[in-house]
Amino acid sequence: MITIPLRILLAEDHKTDAELITFHLEQLVETLEIRVVDNLPLFNQELQIFVPDLIISDYNMPTCTGLDVLKATKEFDINLPFIFITGTIEDEEMAANTILAGASGFILKKDMRNLQEKLKPLLKRVVFNISQQQVIRDRVRKNKIAVNQIYQFLDSIKAENEEQRANLKEIKKNIDGIELEKDDK
């Protein structure tokens, strides 16, 4: 069972399929928060306020296609994992096109009995990426602590003359510029 909490946004217009997908996800993920939408405007809204770790989408819905959902996802975050669970993708060319468009994978609805087996490797990749991002977040936090310690040290230095005070201000300004450059990237 996956122990890292996951936030999943599911775009699915059939209530029964949404419930079945949710059931299978609950068997794989210990702490799961899932939101279900059935149209593109609601999807875009949830994408902004829910900020999921993974998107799962049907391919054909009454008001949009899965490719519309994929496009909105990639505009929001190009690295956000995206999986199609669909009954529509039957031919290899269409399946290849979804992967080329940026989907992480797809599962056919005819394989719903084996959904956990099909989802498990895809979810493991998502969890691995989340854990890698956690390492980066920890590094950023440690760097911010170090910068704050430098500020405290600089503040504790008693400048004896105007030139030293000007140099300390310039050092602080340069440190602030470094932080802004990191945030812009």
Side-chain angles (χ1 to χ4, degrees):
M1 181 162 268
I2 295 171
T3 57
I4 291 180
L6 284 181
R7 298 165 60 90
I8 298 176
L9 181 54
L10 173 60
E12 174 60 65
D13 61 316
H14 294 291
K15 184 179 179 187
T16 307
D17 287 348
E19 289 171 351
L20 190 57
I21 293 167
T22 299
F23 171 79
H24 285 292
L25 287 167
E26 288 171 341
Q27 304 308 305
L28 291 169
V29 182
E30 190 174 293
T31 306
L32 176 69
E33 189 174 349
I34 188 164
R35 303 245 176 115
V36 180
V37 297
D38 63 358
N39 63 63
L40 196 56
L42 279 175
F43 176 81
N44 283 324
Q45 180 181 347
E46 286 295 326
L47 196 58
Q48 298 293 324
I49 60 174
F50 181 58
V51 190
D53 300 309
L54 169 67
I55 305 296
I56 298 176
S57 178
D58 190 3
Y59 194 82
N60 274 334
M61 290 179 279
T63 61
C64 65
T65 70
L67 290 176
D68 296 329
V69 175
L70 177 60
K71 182 180 178 207
T73 300
K74 294 307 174 187
E75 287 173 358
F76 176 75
D77 181 350
I78 196 160
N79 296 314
L80 189 57
F82 188 102
I83 300 170
F84 281 112
I85 296 183
T86 182
T88 303
I89 301 178
E90 293 293 340
D91 67 66
E92 292 175 11
E93 184 179 343
M94 187 179 249
N97 287 338
T98 63
I99 300 301
L100 290 173
S104 307
F106 69 92
I107 299 169
L108 297 176
K109 285 187 177 180
K110 69 180 184 180
D111 295 329
M112 284 289 236
R113 289 183 305 276
N114 303 324
L115 187 57
Q116 289 179 45
E117 180 184 314
K118 302 274 185 187
L119 274 173
K120 196 171 191 174
L122 297 170
L123 291 177
K124 283 186 176 183
R125 273 192 284 163
V126 170
V127 168
F128 176 77
N129 289 338
I130 289 171
S131 63
Q132 292 300 313
Q133 290 174 356
Q134 188 62 40
V135 170
I136 292 169
R137 284 187 206 129
D138 287 344
R139 286 183 185 161
V140 168
R141 185 181 56 77
K142 287 178 183 178
N143 286 342
K144 287 186 179 194
I145 289 170
V147 167
N148 287 336
Q149 289 172 340
I150 291 169
Y151 279 149
Q152 289 173 352
F153 174 75
L154 291 174
D155 287 341
S156 71
I157 295 174
K158 295 188 181 194
E160 294 179 10
N161 63 40
E162 191 60 39
E163 184 180 342
Q164 289 174 333
R165 283 191 289 276
N167 286 340
L168 288 175
K169 284 181 184 178
E170 188 64 29
I171 290 170
K172 286 182 182 181
K173 181 179 167 188
N174 288 336
I175 291 172
D176 287 339
I178 291 170
E179 283 185 20
L180 288 175
E181 287 175 16
K182 288 180 187 175
D183 290 343
D184 289 342
K185 291 182 182 175

